[in-house]
Amino acid sequence: MSGTLRLRGSAQTLVFHVVVGLAGIAMVYPLLWLAGSSFKPADEVWANLSALWPNKPTLENYINGWRGFGGISFSVFYKNSIIFSGLGTLFAVVSSSLIAFGFARIKFPGRNLWFTCMLLTLMLPAQVQVIPEYLLFSKLKLLNTFVPLLLPRLCGQSFFIFMIMQFIRSVPIELDEAAAIDGYDRFGVFIRIMVPLIAPAMITAAIFSFYWTWGDFLHPLLYLNNPKLYVISVALRTFADPSASSDWGAIYAMSFLSLIPMLLVFVAFQRYIVEGIATSGLKG
Amino acid sequence: MIEKAAGRAHVRGRHWKRDAIDGYLFIGPWLVGFLGITLLPMAATFFLSFTRYDLLSPPKWIGLDNFRVMFFDDSRYWASVRATFYFAFTSVPLRLAFALAVAMVLRSSRRFIEFYRAVYYAPSIVGGSVAVAVMWREIFGGRGLVNSLLNMVGIRTSLEWLGDPRTAIWTLILLAVWQFGSPMLIFLAGLKQIPPELYESASIDGAKKVRQFFAITLPMLSPIIFFNLILQIIAGFTSFTQAFILTNGTGAPLDTTNLYALYLYLRAFRSLEMGYGSGMAWVLLVFIALATALVFKSSPYWVHYESKEGR
């Protein structure tokens, strides 16, 4: 009897791995194809369309693609994206942490009201803010700058505020009180006690913020008109415009290249991402 | 100050002035943002929806005219609403269904399971990007990869998936459903929290696996499903980037992929009809509020909250 069970067990395992593995390959197949196509020389891009790997792999698409368009190379676009994502993430995480501490640790008049408002903004569509925001920045002559993109991030983001609040709640309040007795004011408690303890949540927030800024399309589309200021999302859209360019190899190369930072961050910070998604989806 | 709570609250009560100052200092950035970047623009959008405003001349009051045109004189508007509803109410359930199904399969802890989870989650990481949307556009072109693969297995076609009104929306839906990895991770975490004793006692009572799924797994997961359903419906209603890239910013063909957010952008920022766009924005808010309310209203029938008293 046990012999039969053992065989069933390993047959089951084999089936599992084959089915799940094949389906997994199917899931990432488009990405594999994109990567492979980026290394295909011009004559193979169409002639050898469905092949995952080129007959004669080449780096020329990357070299050509990097030149960008209108004399502006992708170095400019990557620089802009790094500035936008870097500063945007810094602003968002720092401000969200401070705000979360305020909501979680300080009983002040009106707290419940403002907390409810903050939760409600999680469900608010950007569309009801976007038009006046644009008008405001237009009147302030701040169009075509990074200010409209970065300024809102100084005011915290509800998702991060909520996530960090959950984390703060798990820190025993005795630690706050002990520090208060030692003479630290609230800000001191925040910096010395809280920040080191909620660092994992802040890292998770930073990762998500990086993803959101790196992939943000609507706001750069609205506010950046000068191609020299383009971030990668809008640059890629112009670069890949069918009416403008027909160098498909280069388009695939630059597209795949833009995905690499996202994939690298995932591989490096998998733990944080998985836990961050888990806690956010479970509503604490 | 009468404090009902004991102990520490009494101590906090004494310092309420300090607390108020500190509290507002800490949440200050959020409050400024909420008032200036959320509430004020919302009010401004509301006001603008009753005007005609093209940025060049001052806003001109036209009463309910925007809404009259929107509801009774703009076939593109209703095409857009139809497309958006179809997109949201098809892609969200499909996505959640796949997420749950695959989560059930991947919940075991075997060898390589972390690797598999990463593979199924990978599309979610990059799926929202312009790069993937560009790739998707080309894959589904007449001479694209999809047709090439279909030809290889004997299905002769050169269908322009994105150009055919019958299929265009499905490329969008497929792109959204492909990214089920994110809710899958959430369900995996939720599944881990279900006490195994529930399944054990059900097995002892003779319940089959299927019965266990409907009697234990689904009810225990229902709060998570509920929460994610709402957030994803909202995301579905406001989806923009993919529709823009896949259609080169047009919403073609025949507006079957002219999602609401895209159409709003075209009217407000391309045709410079800020008043009309503002009207669309508030109607969208109403749609979202209605959809959310409906899901909330339905929740007593299917969302099961574990009570704190013993089981």
Side-chain angles (χ1 to χ4, degrees), chain B residues 118-139:
Chain B
V119 164
Y120 283 87
Y121 177 60
S124 267
I125 308 171
V126 293
S129 66
V130 169
V132 164
V134 166
M135 172 195 76
W136 209 257
R137 188 180 69 199
E138 296 317 312
I139 286 184

Side-chain angles (χ1 to χ4, degrees), chain A residues 6-134:
Chain A
R6 252 210 317 259
L7 182 64
R8 266 217 328 250
S10 53
Q12 207 183 46
T13 310
L14 184 67
V15 168
F16 179 87
H17 283 288
V18 166
V19 171
V20 171
L22 282 180
I25 292 179
M27 282 287 284
V28 293
Y29 190 82
L31 300 173
L32 294 175
W33 177 82
L34 180 68
S37 299
S38 68
F39 293 109
K40 289 178 187 162
D43 50 343
E44 275 192 55
V45 167
W46 286 111
N48 202 9
L49 180 74
S50 50
L52 267 188
W53 195 251
N55 292 328
K56 297 205 212 64
T58 168
L59 282 177
E60 70 191 21
N61 294 321
Y62 285 88
I63 300 174
N64 292 335
W66 192 259
R67 294 208 196 98
F69 56 88
I72 311 172
S73 87
F74 267 85
S75 351
V76 174
F77 303 136
Y78 272 87
K79 178 189 68 142
N80 292 333
S81 273
I82 290 174
I83 294 177
F84 172 42
S85 290
L87 282 180
T89 296
L90 181 70
F91 292 168
V93 174
V94 168
S95 61
S96 298
S97 303
L98 286 164
I99 297 163
F101 183 75
F103 273 124
R105 280 308 210 232
I106 309 178
K107 268 195 159 47
F108 57 91
R111 177 173 83 160
N112 288 337
L113 170 68
W114 297 127
F115 178 68
T116 310
C117 286
M118 185 205 66
L119 283 188
L120 283 178
T121 58
L122 275 173
M123 304 201 304
L124 205 66
Q127 280 70 21
V128 292
Q129 307 162 246
V130 133
I131 294 176
E133 244 184 60
Y134 181 83

Side-chain angles (χ1 to χ4, degrees), chain A residues 17 20 23-24 27 49-50 98 106 109 114 128-129 132-133 135 155 174 177 186 240 248 266 277 280 282, chain B residues 8 19 22 24 26 29-30 37 41 45 53 55 116 118 120-121 125 129 135 137-138 143 148 178 186 224 227:
Chain A
H17 283 288
V20 171
M27 282 287 284
L49 180 74
S50 50
L98 286 164
I106 309 178
W114 297 127
V128 292
Q129 307 162 246
E133 244 184 60
L135 295 172
C155 304
E174 288 86 8
E177 292 168 346
R186 278 253 159 64
W248 290 106
F266 172 64
I277 294 196
S280 70
L282 295 176
Chain B
R8 303 191 185 109
D19 283 351
D22 282 348
Y24 278 96
F26 271 93
W30 174 81
I37 305 180
T45 310
Y53 186 35
L55 271 196
Y116 286 132
Y120 283 87
Y121 177 60
I125 308 171
S129 66
M135 172 195 76
R137 188 180 69 199
E138 296 317 312
R143 294 191 297 154
S148 175
W178 183 53
I186 296 175
I224 302 174
F227 185 61

Side-chain angles (χ1 to χ4, degrees), chain A residues 9 12-13 16-31 33-34 46 49-51 95 97-99 101-103 105-111 114-115 117-118 121-136 138-139 151-152 154-156 158 161-162 173-174 177 186-187 190 208 211 215 217-218 221-222 232-234 236-237 240-242 248 251-252 254-256 258-259 262-263 266 270-271 273-274 277-278 280-283, chain B residues 3 8 12 16 18-24 26-42 44-45 48 53 55 105-106 108 110-114 116-123 125-126 128-132 134-139 143-145 148-149 152 178-183 185-186 189-190 193 223-224 226-228 230-231 234 238 240-241 244-245 248 261 264-265 268-270 273-274 277-278 281-282 284-285 288 292 296 305:
Chain A
Q12 207 183 46
T13 310
F16 179 87
H17 283 288
V18 166
V19 171
V20 171
L22 282 180
I25 292 179
M27 282 287 284
V28 293
Y29 190 82
L31 300 173
W33 177 82
L34 180 68
W46 286 111
L49 180 74
S50 50
S95 61
S97 303
L98 286 164
I99 297 163
F101 183 75
F103 273 124
R105 280 308 210 232
I106 309 178
K107 268 195 159 47
F108 57 91
R111 177 173 83 160
W114 297 127
F115 178 68
C117 286
M118 185 205 66
T121 58
L122 275 173
M123 304 201 304
L124 205 66
Q127 280 70 21
V128 292
Q129 307 162 246
V130 133
I131 294 176
E133 244 184 60
Y134 181 83
L135 295 172
L136 173 70
S138 174
K139 289 270 183 308
L151 202 60
L154 278 174
C155 304
S158 304
I161 298 175
F162 186 67
I173 194 143
E174 288 86 8
E177 292 168 346
R186 278 253 159 64
F187 191 70
F190 174 73
F208 279 103
Y211 277 136
F217 180 65
L218 174 64
L221 181 71
L222 279 181
I232 291 182
S233 56
V234 282
L236 206 50
R237 170 247 173 166
D241 192 337
W248 290 106
I251 292 176
Y252 295 145
M254 291 300 103
S255 298
F256 184 66
S258 75
L259 297 181
M262 302 173 104
L263 293 170
F266 172 64
Q270 209 177 12
R271 275 283 135 75
I273 296 174
V274 172
I277 294 196
S280 70
L282 295 176
K283 211 174 121 184
Chain B
E3 295 289 304
R8 303 191 185 109
R12 283 209 281 269
W16 69 270
R18 180 79 240 166
D19 283 351
I21 297 176
D22 282 348
Y24 278 96
F26 271 93
I27 71 159
W30 174 81
L31 198 55
V32 167
F34 179 68
L35 295 175
I37 305 180
T38 303
L39 270 195
L40 207 60
M42 273 179 76
T45 310
L48 278 177
Y53 186 35
L55 271 196
V105 171
L106 294 185
S108 56
R110 299 177 194 245
R111 267 198 315 180
F112 301 131
I113 201 76
E114 297 260 344
Y116 286 132
R117 288 180 195 155
V119 164
Y120 283 87
Y121 177 60
I125 308 171
V126 293
S129 66
V130 169
V132 164
V134 166
M135 172 195 76
W136 209 257
R137 188 180 69 199
E138 296 317 312
I139 286 184
R143 294 191 297 154
L145 179 68
S148 175
L149 290 175
M152 278 194 333
W178 183 53
Q179 298 172 49
F180 67 78
S182 175
L185 283 188
I186 296 175
Q193 287 195 339
I224 302 174
F226 171 71
F227 185 61
N228 279 282
I230 293 184
L231 284 185
I234 296 176
T238 56
F240 174 75
T241 303
F244 186 97
I245 300 288
N248 290 318
L264 195 154
Y265 167 81
F269 295 103
R270 282 265 178 90
E273 297 169 78
M274 301 256 163
S278 300
W282 266 90
L284 176 64
L285 188 59
I288 288 180
T292 309
F296 265 95
Y305 290 103

Side-chain angles (χ1 to χ4, degrees), chain A residues 181 196 238:
Chain A
I181 292 174
T238 308

Side-chain angles (χ1 to χ4, degrees), chain B residues 79-248:
Chain B
S80 175
V81 171
R82 258 201 307 277
T84 310
F85 270 50
Y86 194 70
F87 171 72
F89 291 118
T90 312
S91 63
V92 171
L94 276 178
R95 196 151 159 237
L96 290 181
F98 270 97
L100 184 55
V102 179
M104 294 290 294
V105 171
L106 294 185
R107 84 197 274 200
S108 56
S109 36
R110 299 177 194 245
R111 267 198 315 180
F112 301 131
I113 201 76
E114 297 260 344
F115 173 71
Y116 286 132
R117 288 180 195 155
V119 164
Y120 283 87
Y121 177 60
S124 267
I125 308 171
V126 293
S129 66
V130 169
V132 164
V134 166
M135 172 195 76
W136 209 257
R137 188 180 69 199
E138 296 317 312
I139 286 184
F140 282 95
R143 294 191 297 154
L145 179 68
V146 169
N147 284 343
S148 175
L149 290 175
L150 286 176
N151 286 338
M152 278 194 333
V153 295
I155 308 175
R156 299 237 139 259
T157 174
S158 60
L159 183 62
E160 280 277 356
W161 299 88
L162 284 165
D164 189 320
R166 293 166 300 167
T167 54
I169 188 73
W170 282 96
T171 56
L172 259 182
I173 293 174
L174 192 63
L175 180 55
V177 174
W178 183 53
Q179 298 172 49
F180 67 78
S182 175
M184 177 193 78
L185 283 188
I186 296 175
F187 286 145
L188 274 172
L191 287 171
K192 234 193 333 201
Q193 287 195 339
I194 304 179
E197 301 85 61
L198 291 179
Y199 292 110
E200 281 159 17
S201 38
S203 286
I204 293 174
D205 285 350
K208 297 254 181 41
K209 280 265 158 66
V210 176
R211 174 107 185 85
Q212 286 180 26
F213 177 76
F214 284 102
I216 302 175
T217 313
L218 271 190
M220 293 296 283
L221 280 184
S222 56
I224 302 174
I225 299 177
F226 171 71
F227 185 61
N228 279 282
L229 188 63
I230 293 184
L231 284 185
Q232 295 213 10
I233 289 179
I234 296 176
F237 278 178
T238 56
S239 181
F240 174 75
T241 303
Q242 284 74 26
F244 186 97
I245 300 288
L246 283 181
T247 64
N248 290 318

